[in-house]
Amino acid sequence: MNEQLLARVRQCPTLPSLPAIAIQVLDLAQRDEVDIAEIARIISKDPALAGKILRTVNSSFYGRSQSVSNLSQALVILGLQSVKTLVLGFSLVTNLRQAKSNGFKHIDYWRRSIYAATAARILAGRLHIVQQEECFLAGLLKDIGMLVLDQVLGPAYGETYVKATTHQELVTIEQADLGVTHADVSGVMASMWKLPPLLSTPMARHHSIEGVDDPTLKRLVNVVHLAGRCADVFVDKNPALAITGVRKFCHDHFKMSETDCDTMMGEVGSRSKEVAPLFEIKLGAVSDFDEILKKANEALVELTLRTQQQAINLEQQKVTLEQQNIKLKEKATIDGLTGLANRASFDEFIAQQFTASKRDGKPLSLLMMDVDKFKSVNDVHGHQAGDQVLRFIGRLLRTAARADDMAARYGGEEMALILPGTAKQRAATIAESIRRAVCAKPIPVDKGALPITISIGVATFEPGSPLMHPAHLLKAADLSVYAAKHGGRNCVKVFTLPAAKAPAA
């Protein structure tokens, strides 16, 4: 955060201070015993303020059934919270409206503020939030940082302001250009005026709820943020985007249906026309929400279609990403030539299965196989033919493997088949069927077909077996392959421990 700029804000001599009457009213309102007559006497010192209070209590905005002409009676009817809110609001708005514009349109600013304040109070009422008056005032003053930045920076702030096409976009541009946002500055002003957290927190955090832990304050911040977006519907040249944003925020944060949201927006439009004169602010030529909605419908349809297309694109990207992840995982675990599990996967799987077999007392068999005279295949027919032979045997092994088995390329022309829960005799039978399938007919290669045979070694871990580690099982299977090679090739050998010698007589 740009602390230098915030220091300039605090030291700026032309910024409005909290009016004396507002300070007195706040002080009296915080006392244990509230003297309504004394508050009325203080407000009466400012005839213009007293007149505004009376006009307000008699306005349709507060929905009173009878006319009130006495200030004390008005204060009783309005209630202390409403009085504090109105005194602060009227006093500050009067002072702030006297500031000269250096960089942006004050008329647009005040129009948006009135819509936001009205929306905040209506929304608070619909959500049964007690602090309706605080929501109104926070909605009215939340963007005061814009006025302050205009005073402190002059035309330089105007250059930042005109870059934004929407109010939501303004925050990002302010942060980039100035190192602070108008919400940050609103928080500074609330602190300087010693406003309570119910006002200062929504003013400072209405564009960012991060760091607000108190549930009540968090709800008020969300209300004031949404109120600003409601105001955008009535002041933006192209309101379709704002309408979509309001509907989504209402649904996501307050579980409000689109119909209820639109009804609320209609009320914001009509009630703002009643509130604006109380603050001597002209809304100018304004449209009802229904008219705005009607004009925006074509753009809303286009936005909906665009959103749906974006959702489809995101889903497609998600599917593509998942497919890429699957491919990457396959590359990490699958042998590229044969399509079998690679050595790393083999090592991990046999370790897991060996541990499970020891724990559960079940057998675990391993078939190790080696292509006979494979070097001569490469030397005579070329490495491409050798690759075709390995691919063929790989497909055969994948077919032979059951759901719980793993077929893997161990290295070079060596391949393996791990058979969980499979006893020695059954493993030997599977090995023999694979051997027969390989030698049954020549394997097709580019330049004809090659007769190929394999030698297979079988080793099994069983309860009570001295093969206590995966490495022991691997060594036993490897010795069996060696025995098959030296036994004439194209055969299956099963590892059997030598019988113990009988003790000498």
Side-chain angles (χ1 to χ4, degrees):
M1 193 175 294
N2 188 341
E3 293 297 337
Q4 280 187 318
L5 178 53
L6 293 182
R8 287 180 61 188
V9 167
R10 294 185 181 96
Q11 296 165 9
C12 182
T14 60
L15 293 184
S17 58
L18 201 62
I21 287 181
I23 294 174
Q24 289 178 285
V25 170
L26 284 175
D27 180 58
L28 286 171
Q30 290 170 355
R31 295 181 183 180
D32 293 334
E33 295 184 5
V34 180
D35 188 340
I36 294 292
E38 178 65 12
I39 293 177
R41 186 185 66 79
I42 291 172
I43 294 175
S44 297
K45 291 180 181 179
D46 186 335
L49 178 59
K52 288 177 182 178
I53 298 289
L54 285 173
R55 285 203 306 275
T56 299
V57 74
N58 289 313
S59 71
S60 57
F61 186 65
Y62 279 87
R64 305 299 173 188
S65 57
Q66 58 187 26
S67 177
V68 177
S69 58
N70 179 278
L71 189 57
S72 294
Q73 184 185 4
L75 299 187
V76 172
I77 292 173
L78 283 174
L80 192 57
Q81 287 301 108
S82 296
V83 170
K84 288 196 302 181
T85 298
L86 290 171
V87 169
L88 275 172
F90 285 135
S91 300
L92 284 171
V93 169
T94 299
N95 283 3
L96 290 167
R97 287 181 64 224
Q98 295 172 358
K100 294 181 180 180
S101 174
N102 288 309
F104 74 106
K105 298 178 180 178
H106 277 214
I107 294 176
D108 291 347
Y109 170 88
W110 285 113
R111 287 180 63 227
R112 188 175 186 277
S113 296
I114 289 296
Y115 281 116
T118 307
R121 193 177 191 281
I122 290 172
L123 183 60
R126 283 177 170 261
L127 297 174
H128 308 291
I129 292 175
V130 175
Q131 300 86 0
Q132 294 179 27
E133 304 305 332
E134 283 84 353
C135 287
F136 178 88
L137 186 54
L140 185 69
L141 300 177
K142 65 184 178 60
D143 293 325
I144 193 173
M146 295 170 65
L147 291 178
V148 172
L149 287 170
D150 182 51
Q151 283 290 304
V152 173
L153 297 176
Y157 182 66
E159 292 173 6
T160 294
Y161 176 78
V162 296
K163 291 179 184 178
T165 56
T166 66
H167 188 83
Q168 303 306 313
E169 188 182 25
L170 177 63
V171 179
T172 304
I173 295 173
E174 286 174 337
Q175 189 64 55
D177 285 5
L178 310 175
V180 296
T181 70
H182 65 269
D184 297 328
V185 178
S186 294
V188 169
M189 296 306 298
S191 177
M192 289 172 65
W193 291 334
K194 295 182 173 57
L195 299 183
L198 289 175
L199 291 173
S200 62
T201 302
M203 287 172 64
R205 307 311 298 270
H206 67 276
H207 280 296
S208 173
I209 201 169
E210 294 176 7
V212 181
D213 298 321
D214 183 276
T216 299
L217 292 179
K218 187 176 288 188
R219 205 155 195 237
L220 295 187
V221 170
N222 277 330
V223 166
V224 173
H225 171 78
L226 177 57
R229 303 187 81 155
C230 291
D232 292 335
V233 171
F234 295 92
V235 300
D236 282 2
K237 291 181 179 179
N238 301 307
L241 192 62
I243 293 171
T244 301
V246 169
R247 287 172 173 174
K248 186 177 188 305
F249 197 93
C250 283
H251 175 270
D252 292 348
H253 290 80
F254 302 119
K255 308 303 178 187
M256 193 182 295
S257 69
E258 185 175 303
T259 300
D260 288 342
C261 176
D262 288 356
T263 301
M264 179 195 72
M265 291 302 300
E267 187 178 355
V268 169
S270 60
R271 299 293 288 275
S272 293
K273 295 175 185 177
E274 302 167 10
V275 174
L278 301 176
F279 289 86
E280 299 176 356
I281 292 171
K282 295 180 180 179
L283 294 180
V286 295
S287 301
D288 292 330
F289 177 70
D290 288 342
E291 294 176 25
I292 293 172
L293 189 60
K294 188 175 180 180
K295 292 177 182 177
N297 262 335
E298 185 176 340
L300 283 170
V301 170
E302 185 179 337
L303 271 175
T304 302
L305 292 174
R306 191 186 308 163
T307 302
Q308 290 174 346
Q309 186 59 52
Q310 288 172 344
I312 292 171
N313 292 341
L314 285 173
E315 188 61 31
Q316 289 173 342
Q317 290 173 6
K318 182 180 177 183
V319 170
T320 302
L321 185 60
E322 289 174 352
Q323 291 171 341
Q324 289 174 345
N325 288 336
I326 290 171
K327 288 180 180 179
L328 287 173
K329 186 176 180 180
E330 286 178 351
K331 283 184 178 180
T333 59
I334 302 298
D335 175 64
L337 178 64
T338 63
L340 302 176
N342 62 18
R343 175 63 183 272
S345 298
F346 170 88
D347 289 341
E348 182 179 355
F349 186 75
I350 198 169
Q352 292 172 347
Q353 295 304 317
F354 200 91
T355 299
S357 294
K358 288 178 69 175
R359 182 190 65 228
D360 301 335
K362 294 181 179 180
L364 173 66
S365 291
L366 172 63
L367 277 57
M368 292 291 289
M369 52 202 78
D370 191 278
V371 181
D372 296 329
K373 298 181 179 179
F374 185 70
K375 185 176 183 301
S376 66
V377 173
N378 283 333
D379 291 344
V380 176
H381 301 282
H383 287 278
Q384 188 172 348
D387 289 348
Q388 290 173 320
V389 168
L390 294 179
R391 277 196 288 267
F392 181 89
I393 297 175
R395 286 195 297 272
L396 191 149
L397 278 184
R398 290 202 304 274
T399 303
R402 300 164 301 182
D404 294 331
D405 300 340
M406 174 182 274
R409 185 181 183 187
Y410 190 74
E413 71 270 22
E414 289 183 287
M415 301 184 196
L417 187 60
I418 304 172
L419 306 169
T422 304
K424 184 185 296 183
Q425 189 56 49
R426 176 60 181 157
T429 301
I430 293 172
E432 181 61 23
S433 66
I434 293 171
R435 184 198 66 79
R436 288 179 179 176
V438 172
C439 69
K441 57 182 181 180
I443 295 175
V445 295
D446 289 342
K447 297 179 180 179
L450 301 177
I452 298 295
T453 62
I454 59 173
S455 297
I456 304 178
V458 179
T460 302
F461 164 79
E462 295 172 312
S465 169
L467 306 176
M468 298 303 295
H469 301 285
H472 296 165
L473 188 62
L474 280 165
K475 184 64 176 177
D478 196 50
L479 288 172
S480 299
V481 174
Y482 184 80
K485 290 283 190 183
H486 285 266
R489 299 187 180 86
N490 191 24
C491 64
V492 174
K493 294 293 182 180
V494 179
F495 179 80
T496 304
L497 287 169
K501 293 183 180 179

